[in-house]
C-alpha cells in the first residue's frame, strides 16, 4: 500500500486538476447551448414584438442585413433571413412556406446544441410547397398528423431554431420575391 | 475541518475553476480552429455538423453561429494575406482568383468582431452567380479604407485600423470541392502598396 500513499499537497494538486479539467470541459460543452438558448429566446421575443398578423405566423422577419445587425456573428449581406424558435415540448410543430424565388434559398434547422441537423434548399423536390413536421426527440412518427407528402423530421432536442436564407442579388426583383417568400413562412402550427 | 483546511479547499477550487474556464476561453478564442488550410484560407469541415468535436462546436457557436453543414455551404475564412501577415482594415488588399466552383459564391469583409464594417453605401461583399458551376473566368476585388485609383475594380470599404476577416462562401459547392474542400483554387490575398 505504501506505493499509493500520497502527501497532502499531491491530494490538493489532484483535486485542483480534476476541478480544472471538469470546468474546462463543462465550459466548452455549455457554451454553444447557452448561446443558442439566448438566440432562441431573443427570436421568440422579437417574433412576439412584431405587428399582430406577423407575430401570429410564429416567424421573425429581420430587416435586410447591414452593418447595424450586431446580434448573430458573420451575417451574410447577400441573404434575406427569416427565423423562428420552435418549442416541441407540447408535440410536433409544422413549418410551411410557398416559395417562388428564382435564386438560392434554404431552410435549415438547428438543435439546442447548435448543430445543423436538417436543411432543405430550392433544388429539393419538396421545396416549392414546403411542408415540414418537426417532431420532438423520441416521438412516434406514426403519431405525427402529417400529410403523406409532408416531410417528418425528428429533432435532436425539444427547442430548435429555424433559419430561412434567401439569396438577394443586385437584381431589384430579387428583394421583392424574397420578401414574398419569407412572408409565406409559417412556424409552429399544430392543427395539421 | 480546520479553518486552514477550509481556506485551502476554497482557494484550490476557485483557482482551478479560473484555470479551467480561462483555458477553455483562451483555447476557443486564441487558437486556430481545426480545419484545412487552402492558401491563406482556413476551411472548417465540421461547421454545423453533428460530427463536430466539442471544441469545434463551441468555436463555431462563438464565431459562426448557425453555419450550414458543408454539403450546403463551405466557409473559407482568412485573417492573413498570402505572405502570412495579419490582415488589417487600414491596408489595401487585392483578392483575386478563378470563379469558385459553386452555384453562388461571395467574399465578405468583416471587422475583427466578425460583424460588418459600417458603410453607408452598404458595400459589404463581392459575389457572383455560377449556375452551371463551371469555373470559367476569374474575379478580382479590392478592400481598403479608401477607394482604389481605378474605378473599374469592385471595392469593399474597410474603415478603421483594426483587424480584418475575409469570408469566402460557396453555396451549393460543386462535388469536387464538397468532397475535398482543399482542392479549391484559393483566391489570392495580396497587400497593395504600403501599409500605414
Amino acid at each position: 500500500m505504501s506505493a499509493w500513499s500520497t502527501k497532502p499537497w499531491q491530494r490538493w494538486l489532484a483535486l485542483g486538476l480534476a476541478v480544472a479539467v471538469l470546468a474546462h470541459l463543462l465550459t466548452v460543452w455549455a457554451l454553444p447551448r447557452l448561446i443558442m438558448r439566448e438566440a432562441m429566446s431573443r427570436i421568440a421575443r422579437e417574433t412576439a414584438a412584431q405587428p399582430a398578423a406577423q407575430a401570429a405566423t410564429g416567424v421573425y422577419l429581420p430587416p435586410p442585413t447591414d452593418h447595424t445587425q450586431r446580434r448573430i456573428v458573420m451575417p451574410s449581406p447577400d441573404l434575406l433571413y427569416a427565423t423562428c424558435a420552435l418549442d416541441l415540448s407540447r408535440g410536433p410543430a409544422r413549418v410551411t412556406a410557398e416559395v417562388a424565388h428564382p435564386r438560392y434559398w434554404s431552410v435549415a434547422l438547428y438543435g439546442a446544441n447548435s448543430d445543423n441537423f436538417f436543411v432543405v434548399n430550392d433544388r429539393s423536390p419538396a421545396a416549392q410547397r414546403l411542408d415540414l413536421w418537426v417532431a420532438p426527440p423520441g416521438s412516434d412518427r406514426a403519431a405525427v398528423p402529417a400529410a403523406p407528402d409532408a416531410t417528418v423530421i425528428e429533432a435532436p432536442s425539444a427547442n430548435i431554431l429555424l433559419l430561412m436564407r434567401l439569396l438577394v442579388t443586385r437584381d431589384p426583383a430579387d428583394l421583392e420575391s424574397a420578401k414574398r417568400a419569407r412572408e409565406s413562412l409559417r412556424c409552429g402550427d399544430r392543427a395539421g | 475541518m480546520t479553518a486552514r483546511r477550509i481556506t485551502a479547499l476554497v482557494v484550490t477550487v476557485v483557482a482551478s475553476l479560473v484555470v479551467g474556464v480561462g483555458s477553455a476561453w483562451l483555447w476557443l478564442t486564441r487558437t486556430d480552429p481545426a480545419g484545412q488550410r487552402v492558401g491563406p484560407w482556413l476551411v472548417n469541415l465540421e461547421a454545423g455538423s453533428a460530427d463536430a468535436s466539442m471544441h469545434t462546436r463551441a468555436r463555431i457557436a462563438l464565431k459562426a453561429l448557425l453555419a450550414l453543414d458543408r454539403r450546403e455551404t463551405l466557409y473559407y475564412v482568412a485573417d492573413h494575406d498570402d505572405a502570412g501577415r495579419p490582415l488589417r482594415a487600414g491596408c489595401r488588399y487585392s483578392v483575386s482568383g478563378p470563379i469558385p466552383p459553386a452555384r453562388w459564391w461571395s467574399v465578405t469583409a468583416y471587422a475583427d468582431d466578425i460583424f460588418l464594417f459600417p458603410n453607408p453605401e452598404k458595400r459589404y461583399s463581392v459575389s457572383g452567380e455560377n449556375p452551371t458551376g463551371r469555373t470559367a473566368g476569374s474575379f478580382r476585388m479590392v478592400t481598403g479604407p479608401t477607394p482604389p485609383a481605378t474605378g473599374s475594380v469592385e471595392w469593399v470599404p474597410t474603415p478603421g485600423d483594426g483587424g480584418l476577416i475575409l469570408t469566402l462562401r460557396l453555396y451549393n459547392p460543386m462535388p469536387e470541392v464538397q468532397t475535398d474542400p482543399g482542392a479549391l483554387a484559393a483566391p489570392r490575398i495580396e497587400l497593395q502598396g504600403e501599409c500605414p
Side-chain angles (χ1 to χ4, degrees):
Chain A
M1 287 301 286
S2 64
W4 293 97
S5 69
T6 50
K7 297 192 172 62
W9 69 267
Q10 289 173 320
R11 288 201 291 273
W12 287 115
L13 185 67
L15 172 70
L17 271 176
V19 171
V21 168
L22 277 177
H24 177 104
L25 294 176
L26 191 67
T27 304
V28 174
W29 179 85
L31 201 65
R33 288 160 174 87
L34 292 174
I35 293 174
M36 282 299 284
R37 187 194 292 189
E38 173 57 23
M40 288 192 275
S41 67
R42 207 156 50 193
I43 287 164
R45 283 199 304 274
E46 300 275 17
T47 304
Q50 296 175 112
Q54 185 55 42
T57 65
V59 179
Y60 172 52
L61 302 180
T65 309
D66 64 18
H67 59 272
T68 61
Q69 193 287 103
R70 304 187 67 80
R71 289 175 173 182
I72 291 182
V73 292
M74 216 168 91
S76 171
D78 305 304
L79 298 175
L80 192 67
Y81 294 99
T83 182
C84 63
L86 284 172
D87 177 4
L88 309 177
S89 58
R90 285 180 297 132
R94 189 185 189 191
V95 174
T96 58
E98 285 190 53
V99 184
H101 183 56
R103 311 281 178 191
Y104 171 86
W105 63 268
S106 63
V107 167
L109 301 178
Y110 298 85
N113 70 349
S114 81
D115 283 352
N116 171 207
F117 67 90
F118 176 83
V119 60
V120 60
N121 72 34
D122 58 313
R123 288 188 171 172
S124 315
Q128 301 318 314
R129 208 187 170 293
L130 195 68
D131 190 358
L132 307 176
W133 278 88
V134 191
S139 54
D140 178 10
R141 277 178 178 239
V144 176
D149 57 346
T151 308
V152 180
I153 309 132
E154 188 183 327
S157 55
N159 284 292
I160 66 158
L161 191 156
L162 176 148
L163 186 61
M164 182 184 213
R165 295 168 158 92
L166 298 132
L167 179 62
V168 176
T169 69
R170 285 175 196 167
D171 179 347
D174 279 6
L175 187 59
E176 287 314 307
S177 79
K179 280 182 172 168
R180 274 197 303 278
R182 73 175 191 166
E183 282 162 11
S184 77
L185 183 63
R186 297 287 177 278
C187 269
D189 290 348
R190 285 167 210 280
Chain B
M1 209 181 242
T2 64
R4 236 183 101 187
R5 289 193 63 152
I6 292 172
T7 310
L9 181 66
V10 169
V11 168
T12 305
V13 168
V14 170
S16 309
L17 285 174
V18 170
V19 169
V21 174
S23 66
W25 187 254
L26 287 176
W27 191 330
L28 296 176
T29 56
R30 297 291 166 83
T31 60
D32 264 350
Q36 195 173 351
R37 288 246 159 242
V38 191
W41 308 86
L42 187 72
V43 56
N44 192 309
L45 309 181
E46 294 179 328
S49 157
D51 302 330
S53 72
M54 203 164 89
H55 283 89
T56 295
R57 182 176 292 117
R59 217 175 332 231
I60 294 291
L62 275 176
K63 296 189 175 176
L65 187 68
L66 308 183
L68 283 166
D69 182 285
R70 69 189 269 192
R71 286 162 294 184
E72 193 69 15
T73 306
L74 283 168
Y75 302 87
Y76 296 80
V77 178
D79 56 9
H80 287 76
D81 68 7
D82 277 6
R85 293 169 292 223
L87 296 179
R88 289 166 54 193
C91 308
R92 184 184 304 287
Y93 298 97
S94 157
V95 184
S96 61
I99 298 289
R103 183 175 158 204
W104 169 263
W105 60 273
S106 68
V107 179
T108 309
Y110 295 96
D112 45 16
D113 59 5
I114 336 179
F115 288 111
L116 297 165
F117 283 98
N119 175 354
E121 291 170 59
K122 304 197 173 188
R123 294 153 74 120
Y124 308 111
S125 67
V126 168
S127 59
E129 212 167 9
N130 182 19
T132 62
R134 307 246 182 275
T135 51
S138 58
F139 77 96
R140 177 161 182 259
M141 65 185 274
V142 164
T143 70
T146 54
T150 56
S152 59
V153 59
E154 286 199 85
W155 168 56
V156 174
T158 58
D161 55 5
L164 164 68
I165 296 165
L166 296 173
T167 299
L168 167 67
R169 287 177 169 86
L170 269 58
Y171 282 98
N172 289 162
M174 293 300 119
E176 68 267 23
V177 279
Q178 196 183 104
T179 50
D180 179 14
L184 179 80
R188 302 181 61 83
I189 305 174
E190 294 161 301
L191 179 67
Q192 306 276 290
E194 290 297 308
C195 198

